[in-house]
Amino acid sequence: MRRKEKRKMYSIVICDNDQKTNEKLIEFIVNYFRKRKTYIRLQRYYTNEELIKKMPCFDILFLGMEMNGIEIAKKLRERSRWGEIIYITSCTEYAISAYSVHAFGYILKPVERDCVEKILDEALQYLKKKSPNKRVEIITEMGVKHILVEEIYYFEICGRNIRVSTKQGEFLFKGKLNTLYS
């Protein structure tokens, strides 16, 4: 009997106050991952306040630069260095400051399918090389969370959930220990 292959899931977050930009990004991102038969969890925010309040876990974050994006990224980076930040902007003058928060890159408005697909290709390649086998992927209420193995203190069963205690804090997710072990 063959073991069922685990399919990769990515957590994608979009935060821009321009609804038209958000809708285009969602269309391009969903089509991109659908073509590759890859699961995603897509979250959309329209304000910085909403994003900071939720502090979602992400693999890739598309963040509006004009929304005080550098300050928002600093707050997110205090929580975790994982994930790639891609700025959405109308002008290129912010490019240099974007790299101070380890931004992966930026795309110009109006967003175009080719640009979005190209930067997604690059970001996913980079994520795969970052720590391919030295991390655990869990799905929390906040999104897909990647935890480096060396940052895990312990796992424990809490009812029908598993709690993982890490260097970054504790996270609760659904699962079974023997599945997690394998």
Side-chain angles (χ1 to χ4, degrees), residues 1 4 15 23 40 45 48 66 72 88 95 102-103 105 109 128 131 135 137 145 159 168:
M1 184 173 182
K4 190 176 175 182
C15 183
E23 295 303 323
I40 61 171
Y45 301 94
N48 292 338
E66 287 81 11
I72 299 306
I88 313 160
H102 307 281
K109 291 181 183 180
K128 286 176 186 172
S131 63
R135 61 186 165 88
E137 177 183 290
K145 176 82 177 144
Q168 297 174 11

Side-chain angles (χ1 to χ4, degrees), residues 124-149:
L124 292 175
Q125 284 300 327
Y126 191 78
L127 283 171
K128 286 176 186 172
K129 290 178 184 176
K130 221 171 180 179
S131 63
N133 297 316
K134 299 176 185 156
R135 61 186 165 88
V136 174
E137 177 183 290
I138 61 172
I139 301 172
T140 70
E141 290 179 355
M142 298 180 297
V144 180
K145 176 82 177 144
H146 298 274
I147 305 168
L148 295 175
V149 171

Side-chain angles (χ1 to χ4, degrees), residues 51-164:
L51 181 68
I52 292 302
K53 182 180 176 188
K54 293 285 185 172
M55 284 294 236
C57 301
F58 62 88
D59 292 305
I60 299 173
L61 166 64
F62 288 90
L63 181 61
M65 179 62 91
E66 287 81 11
M67 299 173 59
N68 199 12
I70 299 295
E71 294 306 312
I72 299 306
K74 283 180 182 176
K75 289 180 182 177
L76 292 169
R77 286 297 188 218
E78 286 172 7
R79 181 162 182 249
S80 174
R81 291 255 181 233
W82 180 263
E84 305 306 331
I85 298 173
I86 300 168
Y87 283 107
I88 313 160
T89 184
S90 298
C91 50
T92 58
E93 67 189 51
Y94 299 112
I96 300 300
S97 57
Y99 292 101
S100 70
V101 288
H102 307 281
F104 187 78
Y106 64 96
I107 55 177
L108 292 174
K109 291 181 183 180
V111 295
E112 296 177 4
R113 182 182 312 274
D114 291 345
C115 294
V116 172
E117 289 183 356
K118 183 177 184 230
I119 204 152
L120 281 171
D121 283 341
E122 292 170 5
L124 292 175
Q125 284 300 327
Y126 191 78
L127 283 171
K128 286 176 186 172
K129 290 178 184 176
K130 221 171 180 179
S131 63
N133 297 316
K134 299 176 185 156
R135 61 186 165 88
V136 174
E137 177 183 290
I138 61 172
I139 301 172
T140 70
E141 290 179 355
M142 298 180 297
V144 180
K145 176 82 177 144
H146 298 274
I147 305 168
L148 295 175
V149 171
E150 61 266 18
E151 292 184 357
I152 296 173
Y153 299 134
Y154 62 87
F155 293 98
E156 69 177 323
I157 295 175
C158 297
R160 294 184 177 192
N161 295 313
I162 299 174
R163 177 180 295 136
V164 58

